Amino acid sequence: MSLLDIRNLRVRFATRGGTFTAVDGVDLSVDPREIVAVVGESGSGKSVAMLAVMGLLPWTATVEADVLSFDGTDLRALSKAARRRIVGRDIAMIFQEPMTSLNPCFTVGFQIREMLRAHTGLDRAARQRRAVELLAKVGIPEPERRLKSYPHQMSGGMSQRVMIAMAISCDPKLLIADEPTTALDVTIQAQILDLLKALQRDTGMGLVLITHDMGVVAEVADRVLVQYAGRPVETNTAQALFADRHHPYTEALLAALPERSTARRLPAIPGVVPGQFDRPPACVFEPRCAFAFRQCREAAPTPAAPELGRALCHIPLVGGVPTPVRAEAHRPRDGVPA
Amino acid sequence: MIRFLVKRVLLTVPTFVALIFLVFVAIRLVPGDPVEVRVGEHGIAPERLALLRHELGLDLPVWRQFLGYVWQLAHGDFGRSLSTSNPVLGEFLTLFPATLELAACAMFIAVLVGIPLGVFAAVKRGSVFDQGLMGLSVTGYSMPIFWWGLLLIMLLAERWHLVPVGGRLDLIRFDYDAPTGFMLIDSLLSDEPGAFLDALRHLALPAFVLGTIPLAVIARMTRSSMLEVLSEDYVRTARAKGLSPFRVVGLHALRNALIPVVTVIGLQTGTLLAGAVLTETIFSWPGVGKWLIDAISRRDYPSLQGGIILISALVILVNLGVDLLYGAINPRILHGR
């Protein structure tokens, strides 16, 4: 049985300009001991989907799903208090900005011990011992002394280590890491990633890694979910995905990796993720797609077969070439390679 | 820490010099001097007037009077009142506990009610409660104290007889020593049954009236500060830890939101003591406020100067305390210096 099971998740925000659907029909399942990467540009709804799992969205958001269960418990049926007992203890989350994610008014030790106090029956002395142990585990030297530090006395990498220590303090079954390395120096990024990988291996927890960096995905993920404008556009094992991409967006994301570039200019995906008011009516990726044709502007695509990565595309790519399997009137756009 | 303290204390010295100068000059700009006021409308012989002025040193040039006064202050001497001939400091210290008791209770009410209201409004932003409270706070903030006080006296004291009209204690029923000058404490020490309750009943209305403006300001400030803090990443972290909403809001958010609120509380102390002058007059509260008003009408220069300087010293001290509090609330501020 999978640890986290999400089917057809929809998150809507009530805004002044009307309803905005930030997440639209996302399916995701995470097994114990599995690392799943959720990939997409900023604004593709990756964080929102995970915050919905955590129950951390603001009151303007409505969360709906056919299935939203964790470890056999239906999260939608839980009372707020019951949900708080799971959040933090069984599902923990770390965030993109470690420097601002810790409370500047309290020592690191206080913030870690507070987590233990909320979810475990440890007494004061045991909490202190456990906090020291946790800091040592995430690779912070002189843990006793560091526990007395305030967040502003630490670097970004150090803060993220503290966040990780706090997140794993109650031995969670699932850790959600929301772009944990984005705000850090490149050298630190690799260290944090290695730490997460090692912790995941040692504890056997499931790990959801939200990222926009295909390099990170290649390094750690077992499975990948590619999300675009709130929709799941492709999902596959990491191995299969890196062997062959079936959705033009995934292909473009991978082509945008600097180390893959052979041209003088870095390749980029033209345009930006559509927002509330410029969502295309049919295929959401159509305006930026190199392979788009008439049908893409007229009908919303349905997911392809599992062996094609459930690509949300009329003409899923195979070997970088569109396969007009379901396209009745396939006429490529001018100047597009066939 | 100690260096910071010394620096802050030294910085108050120029503030004091400027303050003394301002008070000294401003009083002398008011038409009529103590002698003229005492003589009244009928007037006396010019030679006699000159003699009286000479006795009080009022015939000297203002700069010499000023230097003389500063010299006197430097020796800890606030002079004697022109109307009672008692030492100014002694009179002030006798009356000051009454004012302090009133102001402290007013601030107590303002903080104890204002902060929770502001927090609640921020959490329920946009709700009927929030909008209602913010409307009320504008009203409270712009309410003239004397009018508000009279209004409440009319309703609560005159019509409904819930509280007494004025004074600090029912002097017909109670008679005891007042060793501290603070009526709430003295009434408890006196062993007279009902004295404490009576003192409290006398204090309640004036303290509430005086606390109205600070309450409105504190509630607004808390609300806007909380709104800012509630969207911070560390509040999300606190919620991601599965902590109760009470702990997330009341500890993680509020502690960070308190800095501007504490600043406002410090600044409001000045407003409060200024307001005490009016409140004491309305409620016949025998404190320094009423004493100062009397000193103005008598052009009692030494009392006025001494009283204002002593009150200002208190305001400066409170704000110094507020500066020290910043570091206690948010350690980042202390380390930043």
Side-chain angles (χ1 to χ4, degrees):
Chain A
M1 187 186 65
S2 49
L3 195 57
L4 180 68
D5 196 3
I6 306 173
R7 259 172 253 161
N8 195 16
L9 175 72
R10 289 145 320 205
V11 180
R12 291 195 193 86
F13 286 94
T15 68
R16 272 178 205 281
T19 315
F20 174 63
T21 309
V23 176
D24 194 359
V26 165
D27 298 331
L28 178 71
S29 76
V30 184
D31 291 333
R33 313 195 152 270
E34 190 181 33
I35 304 184
V36 177
V38 181
V39 191
E41 285 166 276
S42 307
S44 52
K46 305 163 302 209
S47 301
V48 173
M50 287 306 116
L51 288 172
V53 172
M54 294 289 284
L56 290 181
L57 290 171
W59 58 276
T60 48
T62 1
V63 178
E64 289 172 316
D66 294 349
V67 177
L68 185 61
S69 77
F70 174 78
D71 207 15
T73 316
D74 186 356
L75 292 176
R76 294 168 304 168
L78 289 180
S79 70
K80 281 183 179 175
R83 188 135 178 199
R84 279 202 301 274
R85 278 194 289 277
I86 292 183
V87 162
R89 192 188 64 189
D90 295 331
I91 318 178
M93 187 162 178
I94 60 173
F95 302 96
Q96 185 172 352
E97 298 282 348
M99 303 283 268
T100 54
S101 292
L102 289 166
N103 194 324
C105 283
F106 301 101
T107 62
V108 164
F110 176 88
Q111 298 185 53
I112 295 176
R113 288 190 301 265
E114 182 184 37
M115 182 89 152
L116 294 167
R117 216 183 89 178
H119 295 292
T120 67
L122 298 177
D123 63 18
R124 181 181 286 267
R127 289 200 295 267
Q128 172 69 16
R129 275 198 305 277
R130 173 85 176 135
V132 172
E133 187 188 305
L134 282 164
L135 279 201
K137 205 170 181 178
V138 297
I140 290 181
E142 299 183 79
E144 282 98 345
R145 200 174 63 82
R146 272 301 174 187
L147 280 178
K148 297 194 190 89
S149 303
Y150 285 94
H152 67 270
Q153 295 166 321
M154 296 191 305
S155 65
M158 203 75 115
S159 300
Q160 194 61 292
R161 282 175 196 272
V162 170
M163 284 297 289
I164 293 172
M166 200 152 76
I168 62 165
S169 62
C170 304
D171 293 320
K173 294 173 184 153
L174 178 70
L175 176 64
I176 301 172
D178 185 356
E179 308 225 12
T181 59
T182 307
L184 305 174
D185 287 347
V186 180
T187 48
I188 311 292
Q189 286 186 3
Q191 289 177 17
I192 296 290
L193 220 53
D194 287 344
L195 173 66
L196 282 174
K197 232 162 58 175
L199 288 170
Q200 187 271 341
R201 201 177 46 232
D202 295 349
T203 61
M205 63 184 173
L207 177 63
V208 175
L209 188 68
I210 302 176
T211 180
H212 59 251
D213 186 344
M214 275 295 189
V216 171
V217 177
E219 211 170 308
V220 297
D222 299 322
R223 251 167 359 95
V224 186
L225 167 69
V226 184
Q227 216 171 303
Y228 181 80
R231 272 164 231 197
V233 294
E234 182 165 358
T235 173
N236 218 329
T237 61
Q239 219 179 356
L241 187 109
F242 283 100
D244 194 12
R245 272 87 36 212
H246 302 297
H247 195 282
Y249 179 60
T250 319
E251 182 67 38
L253 268 186
L254 209 67
L257 273 183
E259 51 268 41
R260 289 204 161 210
S261 162
T262 48
R264 282 189 57 194
R265 282 171 64 92
L266 285 177
I269 310 174
V272 291
V273 181
Q276 182 177 3
F277 302 108
D278 52 1
R279 283 265 168 96
C283 171
V284 282
F285 189 55
E286 175 268 322
R288 304 173 72 188
C289 184
F291 304 99
F293 62 108
R294 196 162 54 85
Q295 197 185 349
C296 303
R297 285 186 290 279
E298 287 167 358
T302 49
E307 60 271 21
L308 289 175
R310 298 185 192 282
L312 199 63
C313 186
H314 288 300
I315 42 161
L317 310 181
V318 172
V321 180
T323 51
V325 275
R326 286 174 299 163
E328 289 112 37
H330 178 214
R331 262 182 240 113
R333 216 179 234 176
D334 294 345
V336 167
Chain B
M1 182 69 201
I2 289 173
R3 262 190 59 201
F4 164 69
L5 194 67
V6 170
K7 211 169 98 188
R8 277 297 276 111
V9 171
L10 284 180
L11 271 174
T12 59
V13 172
T15 318
F16 261 113
V17 173
L19 175 84
I20 295 167
F21 179 75
L22 263 178
V23 170
F24 196 87
V25 172
I27 290 170
R28 279 162 180 74
L29 287 176
V30 181
D33 63 23
V35 178
E36 269 177 46
V37 169
R38 209 183 303 178
V39 162
E41 283 177 17
H42 299 295
I44 48 167
E47 311 85 65
R48 182 101 181 92
L49 204 66
L51 188 69
L52 279 171
R53 285 212 169 112
H54 178 72
E55 271 174 20
L56 295 175
L58 294 172
D59 53 344
L60 294 171
V62 173
W63 66 269
R64 280 198 57 185
Q65 291 182 40
F66 180 69
L67 286 184
Y69 185 64
V70 170
W71 183 250
Q72 214 184 315
L73 276 185
H75 289 82
D77 182 5
F78 283 85
R80 281 171 182 277
S81 160
L82 294 184
S83 46
T84 62
S85 303
N86 291 327
V88 168
L89 190 62
E91 285 201 352
F92 182 88
L93 289 180
T94 318
L95 296 170
F96 188 62
T99 301
L100 194 61
E101 186 172 46
L102 178 64
C105 286
M107 196 44 107
F108 186 72
I109 293 174
V111 169
L112 220 65
V113 178
I115 290 183
L117 283 182
V119 169
F120 203 68
V123 172
K124 302 265 168 213
R125 66 187 162 285
S127 65
V128 177
F129 173 82
D130 179 27
Q131 286 169 1
L133 185 77
M134 286 307 105
L136 268 181
S137 98
V138 173
T139 319
Y141 184 64
S142 30
M143 188 85 79
I145 281 191
F146 63 91
W147 185 68
W148 179 225
L150 290 176
L151 208 68
L152 287 179
I153 289 179
M154 258 172 57
L155 266 177
L156 299 180
E158 283 295 314
R159 182 158 311 172
W160 295 333
H161 301 287
L162 291 174
V163 290
V165 176
R168 296 182 76 189
L169 195 70
D170 196 339
L171 293 174
I172 299 167
R173 279 170 59 202
F174 303 105
D175 181 28
Y176 51 79
D177 288 338
T180 64
F182 296 100
M183 203 54 86
L184 289 182
I185 300 174
D186 290 337
S187 61
L188 277 180
L189 293 176
S190 72
D191 290 332
E192 289 214 31
F196 178 73
L197 262 181
D198 189 61
L200 205 61
R201 266 164 47 87
H202 278 82
L203 183 62
L205 193 55
F208 176 70
V209 167
L210 184 56
T212 300
I213 289 178
L215 194 158
V217 176
I218 289 170
R220 282 190 89 82
M221 198 67 209
T222 307
R223 176 184 178 271
S224 66
S225 181
M226 276 300 280
L227 278 184
E228 211 170 287
V229 168
L230 281 175
S231 61
E232 292 283 349
D233 286 348
Y234 51 77
V235 172
R236 185 184 55 191
T237 306
R239 290 170 59 217
K241 285 160 89 172
L243 303 175
S244 70
F246 185 77
R247 203 172 162 91
V248 172
V249 173
L251 189 73
H252 283 265
L254 183 59
R255 178 121 176 220
N256 281 280
L258 271 184
I259 294 281
V261 177
V262 168
T263 310
V264 160
I265 292 176
L267 293 174
Q268 284 295 312
T269 327
T271 318
L272 204 63
L273 288 168
V277 174
L278 283 172
T279 315
E280 285 178 6
T281 312
I282 297 167
F283 289 93
S284 12
W285 191 265
V288 287
K290 212 161 155 290
W291 175 70
L292 277 176
I293 294 279
D294 293 343
I296 292 173
S297 53
R298 295 200 188 106
R299 304 291 188 277
D300 188 344
Y301 289 171
S303 298
L304 255 182
Q305 286 163 190
I308 291 174
I309 287 166
L310 285 168
I311 287 179
S312 311
L314 184 76
V315 172
I316 289 172
L317 264 177
V318 166
N319 281 289
L320 179 66
V322 164
D323 276 3
L324 295 179
L325 256 184
Y326 289 162
I329 294 173
N330 190 338
R332 197 169 37 175
I333 291 175
L334 207 62
H335 291 284
R337 282 209 173 90

